[in-house]
Amino acid sequence: MKLLHGAARNASARNGNKINTQDFTKCFEAYSNERLQDLFNEFGSELSNIDKLIMQFRPTKVQKTAKENYHYTNDKIILKIKAAKQAAPVVFASRRIASDKAILTFLYKIDFLIARFDVSGRPEWKYFEQSQFLAHEAVDFGNSWEIHPAYRWALQPNDIQAVIDTVSLQ
């Protein structure tokens, strides 16, 4: 809803009677920042340093040049989580150990990460409410992980087109 509202405001500002692509493009960064701030506000009491942890998921210089810079295999997402934890140590409010897999499950539960399956050469995505056991510690379901597109502009604010190019549509 926030994205459509921002695009409608942009269309109105240019006296347009229809929302076009440029109206959306202009509001992506603000929308992404709002969504990310909502995550921090909603889940900050559940996981310490959630803001610092999530900001560690911004793409590196090398990753920025790769189209798959927000897409991770199971092994690579665990490596990314390990690196993020080193930069921003985290503790769950329950004092439960913040293992790499527990953090993966948490990031999936809050929809920062989404599960991706490649089916017949086409990506298909699953959210936590659709399949909550995809991040289970004991089983590998053959999926990979993506950072939800709604957060990508906040993680890479200086190049909106590069972020758009990372979104798989088929």
Side-chain angles (χ1 to χ4, degrees):
M1 204 60 165
K2 287 181 181 183
L3 184 59
L4 289 173
H5 187 259
R9 276 196 320 259
N10 288 335
S12 177
R14 64 172 176 75
N15 295 318
N17 60 358
K18 291 182 182 177
I19 296 172
N20 65 27
T21 303
Q22 203 170 31
D23 298 322
F24 278 109
T25 304
K26 284 183 179 179
C27 68
F28 281 150
E29 187 178 346
Y31 167 74
S32 188
N33 286 331
E34 286 178 31
R35 289 281 313 264
L36 201 55
Q37 188 60 53
D38 288 348
L39 259 189
F40 298 160
N41 294 343
E42 186 172 351
F43 298 104
S45 63
E46 216 174 312
L47 185 70
S48 69
N49 278 343
I50 188 173
D51 54 337
K52 292 176 180 73
L53 176 79
I54 285 179
M55 293 310 289
Q56 296 303 311
F57 282 85
R58 68 188 181 283
T60 64
K61 287 180 182 179
V62 171
Q63 288 174 319
K64 282 181 185 178
T65 61
K67 185 172 172 67
E68 299 293 320
N69 59 1
Y70 293 101
H71 180 212
Y72 302 92
T73 62
N74 277 307
D75 292 342
K76 294 217 187 233
I77 195 67
I78 293 298
L79 289 175
K80 190 75 170 178
I81 289 169
K82 284 180 187 301
K85 279 178 33 183
Q86 281 186 321
V90 294
V91 177
F92 285 104
S94 66
R95 299 289 177 218
R96 181 172 51 114
I97 295 172
S99 70
D100 302 333
K101 202 64 170 181
I103 291 173
L104 171 62
T105 301
F106 179 78
L107 294 174
Y108 178 50
K109 181 181 103 176
I110 66 172
D111 287 336
F112 177 74
L113 292 176
I114 50 179
R116 175 180 167 157
F117 292 87
D118 290 309
V119 180
S120 301
R122 297 181 58 122
E124 291 183 12
W125 297 271
K126 296 238 185 235
Y127 294 87
F128 183 80
E129 69 270 0
Q130 295 170 305
S131 190
Q132 61 190 4
F133 295 109
L134 289 176
H136 194 277
E137 292 189 37
V139 181
D140 182 350
F141 289 96
N143 59 290
S144 55
W145 302 97
E146 279 191 36
I147 294 174
H148 193 291
Y151 305 111
R152 295 178 188 182
W153 288 277
L155 296 174
Q156 189 176 340
N158 55 345
D159 194 348
I160 291 172
Q161 188 59 48
V163 175
I164 291 170
D165 293 342
T166 68
V167 178
S168 296
L169 301 175
Q170 49 175 327

